[in-house]
Amino acid sequence: MRAILVLGSIENDDKLDLFRELCSQIGRKIIEMGYMVINGGTDFNLHVDKYVAEAAQVVCNKKDYDLNNRILAVVREGSNPHGIGISLSVKGEVDSEKRMSLIQRAHAIIVIGGSTGTKEYMVLGELTKKPIIPIPIFKGIGGEYFYKYINNVPSYFPKLIEKDDFDLLNQVITSDDTLKSIAENAVNLAKKSFSESNYIFIAMPLAKEFDNIFRAIKSAVVKVNEESDEIQYICERIDEGRKPTQIDIEIEEKIKKAKIVIADLSESNPNVYYEFGLARGKDIIVINIAKKGTILPFDIRQHRTEFYDLSATNITDLENDINNFADNLKECIKSVSLARISTS
């Protein structure tokens, strides 16, 4: 089960009612969306912990969920936790062990306000590449990281998260409905950070002689989708779904959002090699394909390449070859999906 860590505090009780309501909305929403709440377990009025946990507990009771499977607090040995859900104790006179224990268990972090201690959590979160969702309305560390991220989203964040996604976390509070909206957007953004792209970009020459391999790639993706209950892939070449923008900008946008790039390296096409290099530079998985007999550059030869032969002149033989290569390519795509699942 995915777990969302909620952190933060406010300096005084001037806005305590708003703070408590936002924390409660977030706690409720996390449980309603099927996730686990993680918190620091404190019982302090100016900290998020007990408000998030109490609201989560209400939803768990309504839905008959086991609190120990839905609400987790990591507390320092000898402290007095709020006691909601399961509390794990860590040793040590300083908070470093507690912080690392919380960060390690989280799949995403929502931060509201906060000061020096919260900042140390954020540093650990970035070091361990955890998506951080900062809410700026109570300023503090949440505000600091919000303005940091709207200027430059960390490169390790999932490709689906963009700067504009943070805007809805900075609404002017006019009512409890505004707080509810901010909470929903924060948890939805955490959910988005769990999501993988389902986009496959095809880097290949656009000449007519590549139409059959293009058909084989499309067929492979259909086969993967037919066998999957999880992700349903969308694949396209640069000439499909064109936007009224410069083609180099569009290529970069499409590659940036891709989970997989399939690159046909058959003719040392400079455009294909540009797209191949762009994908590799962005740490996107590339599946190399090429016509049988293609001599690849030395540094490319070190990587696995799926070779195809679609030169048959007999229609039946050609269709069989297209189908067989589609089956091979299907297994390559599936192996990428399985590798990502096993490391998530």
Side-chain angles (χ1 to χ4, degrees):
M1 182 185 297
R2 301 284 188 173
I4 299 175
L5 170 62
V6 187
L7 297 169
S9 61
I10 51 176
E11 292 185 358
N12 54 62
D13 60 7
D14 291 350
K15 296 183 178 179
L16 182 58
D17 288 344
L18 294 175
F19 179 74
R20 180 170 52 229
E21 180 61 23
L22 178 60
C23 294
S24 298
Q25 292 284 1
I26 288 173
R28 281 194 285 269
K29 194 65 181 174
I30 290 172
I31 300 299
E32 287 171 355
M33 292 183 65
Y35 305 126
M36 171 183 275
V37 169
I38 305 182
N39 64 93
T42 66
D43 198 29
F44 303 142
N45 285 339
L46 302 182
H47 286 210
V48 302
D49 301 331
K50 71 173 180 179
Y51 304 128
V52 170
E54 286 171 349
Q57 181 181 33
V58 170
V59 179
C60 287
N61 289 340
K62 284 183 179 178
K63 295 181 176 290
D64 200 27
Y65 293 156
D66 183 350
L67 292 183
N68 291 342
N69 290 330
R70 293 290 185 152
I71 304 172
L72 170 67
V74 176
V75 299
R76 199 169 55 190
E77 191 176 58
S79 64
N80 295 313
H82 53 59
I84 301 170
I86 189 169
S87 296
L88 301 181
S89 177
V90 293
K91 296 181 179 180
E93 303 232 349
V94 294
D95 280 336
S96 57
E97 288 187 38
K98 174 181 174 180
R99 291 190 183 108
M100 183 53 75
S101 185
L102 283 165
I103 294 293
Q104 287 176 332
R105 287 172 166 80
H107 295 92
I109 303 166
I110 294 175
V111 57
I112 310 164
S115 56
T116 305
T118 304
K119 179 66 173 286
E120 293 180 15
Y121 278 107
M122 297 302 95
V123 172
L124 285 173
E126 289 189 322
L127 283 173
T128 53
K129 297 186 176 180
K130 304 289 185 178
I132 297 170
I133 317 301
I135 298 177
I137 58 176
F138 295 102
K139 300 182 180 179
I141 302 305
E144 177 185 329
Y145 273 74
F146 173 83
Y147 290 105
K148 176 182 175 181
Y149 288 172
I150 61 170
N151 289 317
N152 186 23
V153 178
S155 60
Y156 71 82
F157 273 38
K159 303 177 191 71
L160 298 179
I161 294 181
E162 300 177 349
K163 290 186 287 187
D164 292 348
D165 290 322
F166 292 96
D167 288 343
L168 292 173
L169 303 177
N170 194 29
Q171 301 176 51
V172 176
I173 301 173
T174 57
S175 67
D176 285 352
D177 286 341
T178 310
L179 293 171
K180 183 178 180 180
S181 174
I182 292 170
E184 287 179 349
N185 283 297
V187 181
N188 281 328
L189 192 49
K191 178 184 178 181
K192 197 172 184 180
S193 78
F194 304 152
S195 303
E196 285 195 87
S197 170
N198 68 336
Y199 183 70
I200 297 175
F201 181 74
I202 306 170
M204 65 184 303
L206 304 182
K208 187 173 179 57
E209 64 189 273
F210 288 87
D211 285 354
N212 286 329
I213 187 59
F214 183 51
R215 285 173 53 208
I217 295 169
K218 289 278 194 177
S219 176
V221 173
V222 169
K223 290 171 184 280
V224 172
N225 289 342
E226 288 175 346
E227 295 182 12
S228 175
D229 293 326
E230 301 277 334
I231 194 165
Q232 292 291 295
Y233 286 108
I234 298 168
C235 73
E236 63 180 6
R237 212 165 48 177
I238 190 58
D239 58 328
E240 298 181 287
R242 284 297 316 279
K243 297 178 181 178
T245 57
Q246 288 179 255
I247 191 166
D248 57 335
I249 294 174
E250 186 173 355
I251 287 170
E252 185 164 355
E253 287 177 350
K254 290 189 173 188
I255 289 176
K256 181 182 177 182
K257 73 176 183 179
K259 178 179 179 179
I260 301 169
V261 170
I262 297 175
D264 191 322
L265 306 177
S266 297
E267 295 188 346
S268 298
N269 182 291
N271 292 329
V272 174
Y273 271 90
Y274 168 74
E275 293 158 10
F276 168 85
L278 196 60
R280 293 295 300 274
K282 293 182 180 296
D283 200 28
I284 293 165
I285 290 180
V286 181
I287 297 175
N288 301 334
I289 65 173
K291 292 179 186 176
K292 187 176 180 181
T294 299
I295 299 176
L296 298 170
F298 174 76
D299 54 340
I300 305 296
R301 269 180 263 160
Q302 301 175 57
H303 302 281
R304 177 178 173 179
T305 299
E306 298 295 321
F307 289 95
Y308 62 85
D309 182 358
L310 304 182
S311 60
T313 55
N314 179 281
I315 295 297
T316 302
D317 291 343
L318 177 61
E319 291 301 321
N320 286 336
D321 291 341
I322 290 172
N323 187 61
N324 289 338
F325 186 74
D327 285 337
N328 291 341
L329 193 55
K330 174 196 72 174
E331 295 305 320
C332 294
I333 296 169
K334 287 172 65 178
S335 69
V336 169
S337 299
L338 289 172
R340 288 292 172 92
I341 291 169
S342 66
T343 57
S344 63

